[in-house]
Amino acid sequence: MLIINKVTLFSHAWNEMRNFYVDVLGFELLSQTDDGFEIKAGESVLEIKKYHHKEKPFYHFAMNIPTNLFTSAKAWAKSKVELNREEDDDEVYFSFLDAQSFYFLDPSGNIVEFISRYSVSPESGAESFSAQNVLCISEINITTDEVRALGNRLISNGVPVRNGEAIREDGLNFMGEHEAGSFLLLGPRKRRWIFSDKESETFPLSLVINQHLDISLDREGFMKLKQVKHNQANS
């Protein structure tokens, strides 16, 4: 089982990001300092920290949403942002995942995906969607030139490739079990993210998964893994 408890990303547009997620989209602000802020994304925490280098980091991440609120969530998002398009479509159904998604960009240029996973995500009792209906962060990219080495390290730490597939050095690897509905997206640089004109690049990030595994990636794409026990309230 792969559960993404916390994701920490970096941004060159820290103030705009806070305003976007808290004031425009309506996510709950958990904490804020001079260097970053945290919001509640269902069972996960998304932390955005100021980036102090010249690059402008961007990432791809997905949030699971209730399966019965996809249409409502899409209308909610369209009232606040412009949805990304791929071949004139502003949503996509993935048959191999039994899932439906739409995408938009935030002020940092992150490719944000809202996804209903029909075989694993629950329905909601809510009649209309709000940010409080997000279930969790369910995908985050790990982009590196060392795809095979990092993939093998993740496997040895209990994060398999989906469906027991072999690691692909030239493609996107879904690290995690299909039944859990959450994945680390391990892949190389210079591959295009769908529903965008952006190519994957390596930027620093850190994650907490399964309440005990800390994963961090530095600016060069080198990964550190550390087993640490986290309390539920702090993750």
Side-chain angles (χ1 to χ4, degrees), residues 144-160:
T144 177
D145 292 328
E146 304 294 332
V147 172
R148 184 172 300 280
L150 269 61
N152 286 330
R153 290 183 66 193
L154 288 169
I155 291 169
S156 67
N157 279 272
V159 184

Side-chain angles (χ1 to χ4, degrees), residues 98-163:
D98 189 20
Q100 196 168 11
S101 297
F102 62 85
Y103 301 76
F104 57 89
L105 298 181
D106 67 17
S108 279
N110 296 317
I111 304 116
V112 183
E113 175 183 3
F114 276 27
I115 180 168
S116 286
R117 301 178 189 274
Y118 294 107
S119 58
V120 297
S121 294
E123 293 190 354
S124 169
E127 294 184 0
S128 60
F129 182 85
S130 75
Q132 280 64 53
N133 296 120
V134 165
L135 300 170
C136 63
I137 298 172
S138 62
E139 293 178 3
I140 176 65
N141 72 285
I142 297 178
T143 302
T144 177
D145 292 328
E146 304 294 332
V147 172
R148 184 172 300 280
L150 269 61
N152 286 330
R153 290 183 66 193
L154 288 169
I155 291 169
S156 67
N157 279 272
V159 184
V161 187
R162 181 190 60 197
N163 297 331

Side-chain angles (χ1 to χ4, degrees), residues 190-230:
K190 304 302 182 185
R191 56 169 304 281
R192 186 181 72 87
W193 293 113
I194 64 169
F195 281 81
S196 84
D197 59 1
K198 293 175 175 286
E199 293 184 339
S200 53
E201 287 292 347
T202 296
F203 296 107
L205 58 82
S206 61
L207 326 169
V208 179
I209 64 171
N210 299 339
Q211 296 294 350
H212 68 83
L213 185 61
D214 287 12
I215 301 172
S216 61
L217 201 71
D218 66 16
R219 293 172 67 197
E220 285 73 41
F222 294 104
M223 184 171 68
K224 293 182 179 179
L225 294 92
K226 183 169 60 173
Q227 298 277 350
V228 178
K229 181 66 177 177
H230 290 268

Side-chain angles (χ1 to χ4, degrees), residues 2 4 44 61-65 113 115 117 136-140 180-185:
L2 174 65
I4 301 174
S44 308
F61 60 89
M63 296 186 181
N64 277 358
I65 59 175
E113 175 183 3
I115 180 168
R117 301 178 189 274
C136 63
I137 298 172
S138 62
E139 293 178 3
I140 176 65
S182 293
F183 302 97
L184 307 182
L185 304 183

